[in-house]
Amino acid sequence: MTNHWPLTKPNDGVIDRARTLFGAQLIEVTEHVGEITLTIARDALVAVATGLRDDPELSFEQLIDIAGVDYPERPERFEVNYLFLSLTKNRRIRVKLFADDVAPVASLTGLWAVANWWEREVYDLYGVLFSGHPDLRRILTDYGFVGHPFRKDFPVTGYVEMRYDPEQKRVIYQPVTIEPREIVPRVTREDEYGEAGGRKVRNG
């Protein structure tokens, strides 16, 4: 049976076109295993995203995800990744920028409404701020949650815990009372372990 699929590379021309459109706004352009990544200046996000969507040679019509990454050792410790899809040209592209928890990143809700919840998620989990967002508040954690749980320096036990207080008849927050634990199986050996015929081991 003959394969009639066209032998084309969907990324052909994308890097050259991106360099032509965005020029000095690009910090780095890479391609690895068929995926193109544009690293951009933080203040270039809206211009780059608009160009990716509206330029007929690129046509990345859909924003399909926004994700954060934490690198605590970096001056700008957070990386914000945007994944775009072109249905008309069968292409995907990633745009990334660097951020901290002080200077905000521009919101893309004016270009894609779907950015609303994803930006709230990155804010909730990492603490990255988004300027121009219509309702930037937590989306996954509780309203009284302290800290941002996807930061690598966030303690496993968290900072506060909640419980129902029967005297006050309401839920209250208090400092964590859980003691740190090591997730290691406790092994108790029988007294006769090591003796002739004694090889019993009991897991506690």
Side-chain angles (χ1 to χ4, degrees):
M1 183 175 179
T2 304
N3 186 350
H4 295 289
W5 288 101
L7 299 176
T8 59
K9 297 180 179 180
N11 287 337
D12 278 358
V14 172
I15 291 178
D16 290 340
R17 185 58 178 166
R19 285 180 170 144
T20 298
L21 284 178
F22 308 128
Q25 296 172 316
L26 299 178
I27 297 174
E28 184 181 34
V29 181
T30 61
E31 183 174 4
H32 179 65
V33 294
E35 180 183 86
I36 294 175
T37 299
L38 308 180
T39 303
I40 65 171
R42 184 192 312 180
D43 58 3
L45 176 61
V46 173
V48 171
T50 302
L52 290 174
R53 184 190 67 177
D54 296 346
D55 182 76
E57 294 186 32
L58 297 176
S59 299
F60 288 100
E61 308 98 342
Q62 292 193 2
L63 171 64
I64 59 175
D65 198 9
I66 303 175
V69 186
D70 184 19
Y71 296 96
E73 69 281 0
R74 295 180 179 177
E76 292 184 301
R77 65 182 290 178
F78 303 114
E79 194 176 273
V80 185
N81 292 267
Y82 299 81
L83 304 182
F84 299 94
L85 170 67
S86 171
L87 290 173
T88 57
K89 298 183 181 295
N90 188 29
R91 294 170 173 166
R92 295 174 186 264
I93 198 168
R94 176 173 61 178
V95 173
K96 70 178 182 180
L97 54 83
F98 304 107
D100 53 32
D101 55 359
V102 178
V105 177
S107 173
L108 292 186
T109 52
L111 297 175
W112 289 276
V114 72
N116 188 316
W117 281 22
W118 288 328
E119 290 174 356
R120 285 178 59 188
E121 181 180 345
V122 174
Y123 161 70
D124 191 0
L125 300 180
Y126 294 95
V128 177
L129 301 172
F130 293 89
S131 62
H133 191 286
D135 187 22
L136 191 62
R137 55 190 169 94
R138 293 185 182 273
I139 190 172
L140 296 177
T141 59
D142 186 71
Y143 291 112
F145 196 88
V146 176
H148 303 281
F150 274 21
R151 292 187 179 188
K152 291 181 179 177
D153 53 5
F154 185 84
V156 175
T157 56
Y159 295 109
V160 298
E161 65 184 21
M162 56 183 290
R163 66 177 178 85
Y164 179 77
D165 188 301
E167 295 181 358
Q168 300 184 48
K169 296 183 178 180
R170 65 182 181 88
V171 173
I172 63 171
Y173 293 88
Q174 63 186 33
V176 172
T177 58
I178 301 173
E179 295 182 3
R181 296 183 60 189
E182 293 184 6
I183 312 301
V184 177
R186 181 167 55 89
V187 177
T188 304
R189 302 190 187 281
E190 301 288 354
D191 292 338
E192 66 272 18
Y193 179 81
E195 298 176 2
R199 285 291 181 179
K200 296 180 181 178
V201 176
R202 182 177 69 248
N203 288 327

